[in-house]
Amino acid sequence: IPTTFRPPTITVDDIFISVKTTKRYHKSRLSVILKTWFQLAKEQTWFFTDSDDKDLHNKTHGHVINTKCPASHHRKALCCKMSVEFDAFMDTNKKWFCHFDDDNYVNVPRLVEFLKDYNPKEDWYLGKPSIQRAFEISSKNKTAPKVKFWFGTGGAGVCISRALALKMMPAAGGGQFMRTGEKIRLPDDVTMGYIIEHLLKKPLTVVNQFHSHLEPMKFIRRELLKDQISFSYSSNNIIKLEGFDILRDPTRFLSLHCLLFPYFDFCPR
Ligand code: UDP
Ligand code: MN
């Protein structure tokens, strides 16, 4: 094919990966991430937290951003972090912004392969909804048109192309994301959907290979694990996979990582 007709190809370096975390999860949740998938995207992944942590700073080679947002699970604090994540992405020249939670495992090479099918110069909002129907904002005014939109669950991972992010600037840039979230009084991922689907009228593209712990992990078939882009866990909801002892690997992320990348030094051989 002549070069001019070739679709734009990307590498991991074209992706800005943000991970939302908080002080009390630095050890409990980030350890397994740092041992596994972070190693495949060290230069591209940034942790957004709410405190200074020398140890985390050293382990990530400075890839920690203290957002100065409150250390709380309240929607305000979460929108505050997303606001900082968005602005940090805009400060780079990366083609894609992908957000994950600190209880996600990201299959980095799969994410890169997947994004190759989409043009970052077009508007793309890629994610996985966690509800069966569009989200609806209730209004006291019964004659007002209903505000209805889809959103990608933050805990499954969400990717946004730079072209779309640029269009989001008035509602999301320079700290505006927080103010938009405050206006509609909804969490960060819902606010994202509101800005993109409702304000900009750009549809969410459903990515079935993203997984949050709102869906049962045990139903992902072993043969299909390698094709998935993100995974998660919660108590009583983990990937069904043989490997390390459950006490050593309660999240199953070590076992998953060894299935995908058996050459890692902690994997059995
Ligand atoms: N989180 C946070 N501040 C908090 C609690 C949670 O930033 O005080 C982050 C957490 O690190 C994770 C995300 O919010 O990335 C979702 O939190 P969690 O998984 O605990 O709850 P969920 O919303 O998934 O039930
Ligand atoms: Mn979670």
Side-chain angles (χ1 to χ4, degrees):
I1 325 170
T3 47
T4 44
F5 296 124
R6 216 175 272 154
T9 189
I10 65 152
T11 69
V12 67
D13 211 35
D14 293 310
I15 314 173
F16 180 85
I17 302 176
S18 69
V19 178
K20 176 174 64 184
T21 188
T22 186
K23 184 188 166 85
R24 75 171 180 284
Y25 294 146
H26 287 185
K27 286 251 145 47
S28 60
R29 291 189 181 186
L30 296 189
S31 300
V32 69
I33 291 180
L34 296 180
K35 253 184 109 164
T36 60
W37 69 264
F38 174 73
Q39 296 304 321
L40 301 171
K42 278 186 197 185
E43 299 296 322
Q44 298 77 24
T45 305
W46 296 84
F47 295 93
F48 290 80
T49 189
D50 39 42
S51 70
D52 292 319
D53 180 337
K54 255 273 169 58
D55 184 51
L56 182 61
H57 183 94
N58 293 337
K59 284 179 178 154
T60 61
H61 304 281
H63 278 224
V64 193
I65 291 165
N66 181 356
T67 59
K68 309 274 167 81
C69 298
S72 118
H73 200 272
H74 190 262
R75 57 174 173 80
K76 240 178 157 167
L78 300 180
C79 281
C80 173
K81 269 179 200 156
M82 183 58 85
S83 205
V84 180
E85 289 173 49
F86 184 86
D87 287 340
F89 164 68
M90 292 311 291
D91 279 345
T92 69
N93 46 25
K94 307 259 182 204
K95 294 174 179 163
W96 291 96
F97 169 36
C98 294
H99 158 95
F100 295 95
D101 277 358
D102 59 6
D103 49 6
N104 281 135
Y105 177 95
V106 183
N107 185 353
V108 175
R110 262 309 290 145
L111 176 66
V112 177
E113 281 307 305
F114 170 76
L115 290 177
K116 281 182 181 165
D117 291 342
Y118 299 88
N119 187 345
K121 292 185 177 163
E122 294 168 3
D123 302 325
W124 290 108
Y125 173 32
L126 310 168
K128 175 95 158 277
S130 57
I131 50 178
Q132 300 304 310
R133 57 194 83 216
F135 185 86
E136 213 173 302
I137 297 186
S138 56
S139 162
K140 279 173 227 122
N141 179 355
K142 290 212 178 77
T143 57
K146 278 188 181 150
V147 175
K148 254 179 149 178
F149 57 89
W150 290 95
F151 68 93
T153 300
V158 165
C159 294
I160 291 164
S161 61
R162 174 157 293 269
L164 177 58
L166 283 166
K167 296 193 175 109
M168 292 167 68
M169 279 300 279
Q176 279 301 114
F177 191 95
M178 240 187 109
R179 302 193 53 190
T180 303
E182 213 24 53
K183 203 178 89 190
I184 57 169
R185 307 176 71 82
L186 290 166
D188 53 346
D189 48 2
V190 190
T191 301
M192 189 71 89
Y194 174 83
I195 294 171
I196 302 169
E197 278 225 335
H198 180 70
L199 298 180
L200 297 173
K201 308 288 179 219
K202 306 286 177 185
L204 170 73
T205 297
V206 177
V207 183
N208 282 313
Q209 301 99 300
F210 284 169
H211 302 280
S212 81
H213 55 67
L214 296 171
E215 47 179 300
M217 289 296 127
K218 67 177 179 208
F219 293 142
I220 307 173
R221 279 168 49 203
R222 193 192 181 283
E223 318 85 81
L224 300 180
L225 287 170
K226 63 174 190 344
D227 304 323
Q228 309 309 306
I229 298 166
S230 68
F231 301 86
S232 190
Y233 61 86
S234 61
S235 57
N236 292 316
N237 184 10
I238 53 172
I239 305 163
K240 191 169 167 287
L241 179 64
E242 77 286 1
F244 294 106
D245 189 89
I246 193 81
L247 291 172
R248 174 146 177 236
D249 184 24
T251 68
R252 303 322 280 156
F253 285 0
L254 291 178
S255 305
L256 174 67
H257 193 76
C258 288
L259 174 80
L260 302 176
F261 310 103
Y263 57 84
F264 264 62
D265 60 4
F266 63 83
C267 299
R269 63 197 72 227

